[in-house]
Amino acid sequence: MHPGDVIGFGISHPCTLFDKWRVGIVVDGDRPLGLVSFDF
C-alpha cells in the first residue's frame, strides 16, 4: 500500500449504514456515481 491509494470498505449489514452515517456513496465498481442522503 502507498500514500494516495484508495481503499474501499463494505458494511456487514445494511442497518449499520443507516445507523452510523447520514450520507452513502453510490458506486459502480471503483467509480463513485453520487451521494444518497438518509433522512430517518
Side-chain angles (χ1 to χ4, degrees):
M1 195 175 314
H2 304 289
D5 286 351
V6 176
I7 301 172
F9 293 94
I11 57 172
S12 60
H13 193 273
C15 291
T16 305
L17 179 64
F18 302 125
D19 182 44
K20 304 292 182 193
W21 296 287
R22 296 185 59 107
V23 176
I25 301 171
V26 178
V27 296
D28 181 14
D30 293 334
R31 194 180 84 199
L33 300 177
L35 300 174
V36 177
S37 175
F38 305 114
D39 299 316
F40 289 100

